[in-house]
Amino acid sequence: MIKLLFPCKYIGITQGFKSSHKAIDMGWSTSNGGPDHDIISPYDGTVSYVKNNVKTRDISSKTYGNYIKINH
């Protein structure tokens, strides 16, 4: 098992890792980093995808914000 670092300041985990959701979603606020906060990789890996410039929550697209995928 690898030991992961938290990649950013956050206010809480909004959705955890499970078989139907293979990621960890973290909420943030202006007092905890804001939109310009640096994000670091929790472990060595390669960025495989970047979703950027999402401004609104669009339920029909099944994406709820900006994210990156990192293969560890």
Side-chain angles (χ1 to χ4, degrees):
M1 179 176 290
I2 60 176
K3 183 176 180 179
L4 302 176
L5 301 172
F6 274 99
C8 62
K9 293 181 182 178
Y10 69 100
I11 58 172
I13 295 175
T14 58
Q15 181 152 198
F17 187 94
K18 55 189 175 184
S19 62
S20 61
H21 183 260
K22 299 194 183 313
I24 298 171
D25 295 350
M26 291 183 252
W28 54 265
S29 68
T30 302
S31 63
N32 284 286
D36 298 320
H37 183 63
D38 291 337
I39 298 173
I40 61 169
S41 175
Y43 196 75
D44 290 342
T46 303
V47 173
S48 61
Y49 185 80
V50 175
K51 179 70 171 178
N52 199 5
N53 296 320
V54 174
K55 303 294 185 200
T56 61
R57 183 175 175 164
D58 180 4
I59 295 172
S60 65
S61 72
K62 299 197 187 294
T63 186
Y64 293 87
N66 299 313
Y67 62 92
I68 59 174
K69 289 184 181 180
I70 302 171
N71 293 327
H72 300 287

